[in-house]
Amino acid sequence: MAAQQQVRAGFVELYGAEPEGVWSAPGRVNLIGEHTDYNDGFVMPFALPHTAVAAVSRRGDGVLRLHSSDVDGGVVELRLDELAPESDRNWTAYPAGVVWALREAGHPVTGADVHLTSTVPAGAGLSSSAALEVVIALALNDLYDLGLQRWQLARLCQRAENVYVGAPTGIMDQTASACCEAGHALFLDTRDLSQKQIPFDLAAEGMRLLVVDTQVKHAHSDGEYGKRRAGCEKGAALLGVDALRDIPYADLDAALARLGDEEEVRRLVRHVVTEDERVERVVTLLEAGDSRAIGQVLTEGHASLRDDFRISCPELDLVVDTALASGALGARMTGGGFGGSAIVLAEAADVDTITKAVEEAFATAGFTAPRVFEAVPSAGARRVS
Ligand code: GLA
């Protein structure tokens, strides 16, 4: 049974009535542009075929009922007037946070029954939480006729994550889930959320993009992500700009010189400014039809995240080193770091060799077996029935 029918049937079983509709929202993988989004910079994610699917109906009595078939336990019942930031450490914080953010912004949401399931791997750096947020935001936007645009839903979801969940993340993941289109990567300026859909069909050119989930779980509500963010903000303040986005690549050396002996801040600034330049280079290459050449840029991005931003880990480095040694065109960690997934760009003919080499390297190192799959740029959030 297709996911949407299963979710619909699950809803009927739980709540005793048909849902008003079913919505889906994808996870994402980021091609390039890491830790640039909270520096007002550029990112380039695309949507995965893995989605959160939610069946939803309105309620008028100020109650939110939540159920996930992925989690043990029954229906969680919450009162809307009792929703409070950082009061919930469970999965329910994501959908409840969205309801909280909508109501905080003055939108007349009076309750909902929700049953959902997700195929986005959790803790793998593939935005399982953004998928949960966006699917609920889109459903409530439709059902309550709120008239919000996709980018506005993304902003509300980010607020849910920052304030309600308490994770200081940027805007990339929610915008990717809400705005991506099949067959395209999303070139997003995170300062004003202006966007350009860049055709990205590697299969047509004989290439593949693999996602390698290292199975090392990460969390953004722990300290390291926030420390990097604070370090970037310190860099911007020391350099007298609103955000690191405002340091032109051509001025990087001069900016680094001005940071004097602030060694850690210098590394963070160097990563962010060069990463913005890498995003622009990838866009230029893709628009020129030179897709193979982006591999080198991805690999440079990994070195910067590993050496300057210092958020890689032995498993991610092993994927990248092994893939490159086995003929990959490029490879890098993707997402927030400290675990999660890497991406590998490869000729279609080399995929099996590279996959096998990575699996063997993990076995030899004594690491948990990685999960490898091909990432096909897929549709953004939508109503499915
Ligand atoms: C996580 C965050 C994003 C972004 C990435 C790093 O995925 O949710 O906002 O900062 O890390 O690029």
Side-chain angles (χ1 to χ4, degrees):
M1 212 190 322
Q4 71 197 59
Q5 282 156 329
Q6 243 166 31
V7 171
R8 185 173 272 280
F11 185 101
V12 173
E13 201 173 302
L14 279 170
Y15 301 119
E18 286 284 333
E20 290 184 272
V22 180
W23 288 260
S24 86
R28 64 95 189 96
V29 55
N30 190 19
L31 185 61
I32 189 79
E34 222 66 88
H35 288 265
T36 47
D37 62 351
Y38 51 80
N39 291 297
D40 278 5
F42 303 122
V43 295
M44 207 177 173
F46 64 85
L48 289 169
H50 307 71
T51 54
V53 179
V56 185
S57 284
R58 282 168 293 181
R59 298 176 64 97
D61 60 355
V63 168
L64 175 63
R65 293 197 292 179
L66 299 168
H67 184 268
S68 165
S69 56
D70 310 327
V71 179
D72 290 337
V75 173
V76 175
E77 188 166 321
L78 302 165
R79 288 209 50 83
L80 298 191
D81 52 13
E82 289 172 6
L83 297 180
E86 301 199 36
S87 58
D88 184 354
R89 291 274 160 245
N90 300 311
W91 70 273
T92 44
Y94 298 102
V98 170
V99 174
W100 172 85
L102 283 166
R103 283 167 53 85
E104 272 260 313
H107 300 295
V109 174
T110 52
D113 284 339
V114 176
H115 169 60
L116 58 79
T117 186
S118 178
T119 54
V120 187
L126 302 174
S127 296
S128 58
S129 46
L132 277 188
E133 292 156 4
V134 170
V135 77
I136 298 302
L138 186 65
L140 296 176
N141 188 45
D142 284 355
L143 288 176
Y144 282 96
D145 214 2
L146 303 179
L148 295 166
Q149 296 182 42
R150 297 286 173 127
W151 67 268
Q152 292 174 302
L153 296 177
R155 279 267 185 245
L156 283 161
C157 290
Q158 185 198 13
R159 189 163 153 71
E161 179 129 3
N162 289 171
V163 181
Y164 195 88
V165 177
T169 54
I171 188 71
M172 166 168 69
D173 304 345
Q174 293 81 5
T175 314
S177 187
C179 301
C180 279
E181 291 179 9
H184 293 78
L186 177 72
F187 176 35
L188 175 71
D189 180 337
T190 62
R191 171 160 275 169
D192 61 6
L193 298 192
S194 58
Q195 327 185 341
K196 192 169 180 188
Q197 302 286 345
I198 309 283
F200 190 56
D201 183 1
L202 293 173
E205 297 183 57
M207 286 180 285
R208 299 284 185 273
L209 196 110
L210 302 178
V211 173
V212 182
D213 174 3
T214 62
Q215 309 273 11
V216 179
K217 301 292 173 204
H218 74 110
H220 296 323
S221 43
D222 70 8
E224 291 299 327
Y225 184 99
K227 274 191 214 156
R228 299 303 185 285
R229 183 171 182 155
C232 290
E233 284 161 4
K234 181 174 175 192
L238 288 171
L239 293 167
V241 290
D242 286 344
L244 291 182
R245 143 67 174 287
D246 296 312
I247 307 292
Y249 181 66
D251 296 350
L252 176 60
D253 287 344
L256 294 177
R258 278 170 50 212
L259 288 170
D261 58 4
E262 290 278 359
E263 184 44 35
E264 191 188 336
V265 177
R266 283 160 57 96
R267 282 193 285 97
L268 299 178
V269 169
R270 186 162 54 212
H271 167 71
V272 173
V273 175
T274 58
E275 186 78 349
D276 273 337
E277 187 273 340
R278 280 186 286 275
V279 179
E280 294 189 287
R281 228 186 316 152
V282 165
V283 173
T284 305
L285 288 168
L286 290 178
E287 290 190 328
D290 199 0
S291 317
R292 280 181 173 73
I294 73 171
Q296 174 62 29
V297 190
L298 303 187
T299 305
E300 284 172 30
H302 184 75
S304 182
L305 290 162
R306 181 192 59 211
D307 302 336
D308 273 347
F309 222 65
R310 302 199 181 167
I311 57 168
S312 189
C313 65
E315 291 83 352
L316 288 167
D317 291 342
L318 188 60
V319 176
V320 169
D321 294 345
T322 309
L324 292 174
S326 317
L329 296 162
R332 68 176 200 88
M333 54 150 286
T334 186
F338 310 106
S341 300
I343 53 174
V344 175
L345 180 72
E347 302 290 354
D350 294 336
V351 161
D352 289 346
T353 312
I354 293 170
T355 305
K356 201 159 167 276
V358 170
E359 286 168 352
E360 281 175 8
F362 267 56
T364 305
F367 296 156
T368 304
R371 210 168 74 90
V372 186
F373 62 91
E374 187 190 334
V376 179
S378 301
R382 62 199 191 283
R383 185 171 190 152
V384 288
S385 72

